[in-house]
Amino acid sequence: MVDPPQRDLIGQFVGSDCDPGRATCSFHDETCTLKAGDTLQLEVEYVDTDWLPLFHRCTAHAVPSFPEEHSVYGVYQALMETTLSPTGAHLPRTNEYVPEALTITDITVVDLSPATEGRKPTDQC
């Protein structure tokens, strides 16, 4: 049974260690700074027993469904949407607590990619 993503993702830090009150989009050539109140899409996958973020998307790079080019056969994946909130978090590198650090506080599931779908490695075709 796959656990719901809310359990693993709510409260997770999504800012940067250098500027915990800001987050970035994974799909910009230039710096794209997101702040509290901005919408963020997350591509996540279920690894072992936890949902883990793969990519962040700003509204300019938002997609309607989990991207086929990122889907992997045999892995549960999902596209989520959240509003960034400054609820505070411990920074991954230093473990310093920053009260205004951006975190995931609510999650809307946009699309699911079941483990039975997605691209298969070439040795399984």
Side-chain angles (χ1 to χ4, degrees):
M1 174 75 181
V2 175
D3 294 317
Q6 289 84 343
R7 184 198 72 172
D8 295 323
L9 296 174
I10 288 179
Q12 192 169 103
F13 174 62
V14 291
S16 78
D17 277 333
C18 298
D19 190 356
R22 302 272 187 246
T24 58
C25 174
S26 304
F27 298 93
H28 273 275
D29 293 332
E30 304 285 324
T31 301
C32 169
T33 303
L34 303 166
K35 60 191 180 322
D38 288 344
T39 298
L40 179 72
Q41 268 192 349
L42 299 159
E43 290 180 34
V44 299
E45 72 180 16
Y46 195 71
V47 177
D48 296 323
T49 60
D50 298 312
W51 284 97
L52 303 173
L54 299 173
F55 299 106
H56 296 176
R57 292 179 174 274
C58 66
T59 54
H61 289 99
V63 293
S65 60
F66 195 90
E68 187 176 327
E69 64 272 15
H70 296 165
S71 67
V72 178
Y73 182 81
V75 177
Y76 287 97
Q77 296 173 304
L79 182 65
M80 308 289 183
E81 194 168 276
T82 187
T83 302
L84 296 175
S85 297
T87 59
H90 287 88
L91 302 183
R93 278 192 275 164
T94 63
N95 202 33
E96 171 193 1
Y97 182 77
V98 178
E100 69 279 359
L102 293 180
T103 61
I104 298 169
T105 55
D106 60 78
I107 295 173
T108 301
V109 177
V110 176
D111 188 38
L112 295 172
S113 178
T116 56
E117 295 179 9
R119 295 178 299 136
K120 291 182 181 183
T122 53
D123 62 341
Q124 289 185 7
C125 293

